[in-house]
Amino acid sequence: MSNLAAQVILHPKLSQSLAVLATTVGRDKAYRLIQYLSRLIAWSLLRRGNVEAAARWEGLKNGLATGRKVMRLFRPAEFLQSAMNLAQKPITNLRGPAQIAQLAQIGRQVGYAGFFTNDMIVWLGQVRFFKLDKVQLERFQRLTFKFWLSGIIFSLISSSASIVKLRGDSRRFALSAEISRRESSEKGPDERTREESERRERGRALLAQRQTLLSQLISDSCDIWIPATGLGYTNVNDGVLGALGTITSYMSLQTQWRKHAAAGLRKSI
């Protein structure tokens, strides 16, 4: 029994899980997953008439939502810094989709900075650090949803433009790879092997970039319904919102998991 417990506690997957949860982003994504899953379960229970059980899950959802606000108190500075760094990069050197993607990415960072700033004000009002009445709290909550929605819209534009740019880069890469293969007959075997290895590495990098962009596009397409419903632009029930939030939270948690797995692999090499 003790050997089994030791194997479970010392299992590499558990160690990796603890490494993810040791980061603020990892904990936030895990709490978000439980929060939106609780929202879905509470909605399902309420539909069945189980009010008492639904209230428990609703309480868990609200508690996690409040706790996540505390973890995000200083995130506006992070997004504003990212926006400033992007704005300092020369945009005039870019053309077409690349320029659109960078401008939209700046808009995304500003949108999320506004979202977290208003979210922080709402929390400070809820704990009565700021003296805000119900009307003022609702106004800041609405601003929170507006900035969140604008950030997601800019993110969708940036991801879409980046995919268009990546498609052009992939076509150029395929063409150059074909030309290099035709000319490789005049080169030595070592040089041919080295060039083929470089082409494969470049191809894998383009594929990984495409997968990242598609994942972000899917995530934003799901998340956009949450602030849109909060603003009254759409009428989506809590069950659908809970399911969408659960899906995107799981996707974000998977991203953090892969990052830590890759970091662990680099350390072991």
Side-chain angles (χ1 to χ4, degrees):
M1 187 67 180
S2 60
N3 289 335
L4 178 62
Q7 287 177 1
V8 171
I9 293 171
L10 299 176
H11 196 278
K13 295 296 183 184
L14 180 59
S15 299
Q16 189 175 333
S17 300
L18 293 174
V20 172
L21 294 174
T23 64
T24 303
V25 175
R27 285 195 301 275
D28 180 62
K29 300 307 179 186
Y31 296 161
R32 188 180 191 270
L33 175 63
I34 301 170
Q35 175 191 339
Y36 279 96
L37 186 59
S38 300
R39 187 172 187 171
L40 175 60
I41 294 171
W43 172 83
S44 178
L45 290 169
L46 199 59
R47 282 195 66 192
R48 298 174 187 174
N50 198 337
V51 178
E52 186 178 347
R56 291 172 58 195
W57 288 98
E58 185 72 19
L60 178 60
K61 181 203 79 173
N62 293 335
L64 287 169
T66 302
R68 290 181 61 229
K69 289 179 190 291
V70 180
M71 294 171 62
R72 304 191 303 236
L73 284 179
F74 301 103
R75 294 207 71 188
E78 175 188 336
F79 283 96
L80 285 174
Q81 187 179 67
S82 297
M84 289 294 293
N85 289 334
L86 285 168
Q88 288 174 359
K89 293 180 180 179
I91 299 177
T92 53
N93 296 341
L94 303 175
R95 292 290 181 272
Q99 192 176 54
I100 294 171
Q102 184 161 332
L103 288 171
Q105 193 59 224
I106 293 171
R108 176 187 183 273
Q109 303 301 322
V110 173
Y112 276 102
F115 161 61
F116 286 117
T117 299
N118 284 279
D119 190 56
M120 178 176 62
I121 293 170
V122 169
W123 178 78
L124 290 171
Q126 289 173 342
V127 299
R128 304 197 182 282
F129 185 81
F130 287 167
K131 293 182 179 179
L132 301 174
D133 57 33
K134 186 178 179 181
V135 175
Q136 289 173 318
L137 276 174
E138 287 178 355
R139 188 184 305 143
F140 280 113
Q141 184 63 65
R142 191 167 179 82
L143 277 173
T144 300
F145 282 131
K146 284 183 177 180
F147 275 110
W148 187 6
L149 182 63
S150 66
I152 293 175
I153 291 171
F154 278 120
S155 183
L156 285 167
I157 294 170
S158 177
S159 297
S160 301
S162 296
I163 288 173
V164 173
K165 176 183 176 296
L166 186 63
R167 192 173 296 169
D169 292 342
S170 299
R171 282 198 294 265
R172 285 189 290 273
F173 167 71
L175 181 61
S176 64
E178 183 63 28
I179 293 171
S180 297
R181 287 193 183 96
R182 290 176 182 176
E183 295 175 349
S184 62
S185 58
E186 302 173 1
K187 300 174 182 178
D190 292 341
E191 190 174 357
R192 286 201 302 269
T193 303
R194 180 181 58 81
E195 288 183 353
E196 185 63 28
S197 176
E198 289 175 354
R199 282 194 294 269
R200 287 179 180 176
E201 186 176 348
R202 173 61 176 161
R204 283 193 293 266
L206 287 170
L207 181 60
Q209 190 178 351
R210 180 177 178 272
Q211 289 174 337
T212 300
L213 289 169
L214 286 174
S215 178
Q216 185 65 51
L217 199 63
I218 293 168
S219 179
D220 288 333
S221 298
C222 292
D223 276 341
I224 197 171
W225 298 100
I226 302 172
T229 301
L231 290 167
Y233 298 156
T234 57
N235 186 23
V236 180
N237 64 49
D238 268 7
V240 175
L241 295 179
L244 292 173
T246 300
I247 292 168
T248 56
S249 299
Y250 180 72
M251 290 172 65
S252 299
L253 203 54
Q254 268 194 323
T255 301
Q256 295 302 313
W257 178 273
R258 285 193 294 267
K259 283 181 180 179
H260 281 269
L265 183 62
R266 284 195 296 269
K267 286 180 181 178
S268 63
I269 295 176

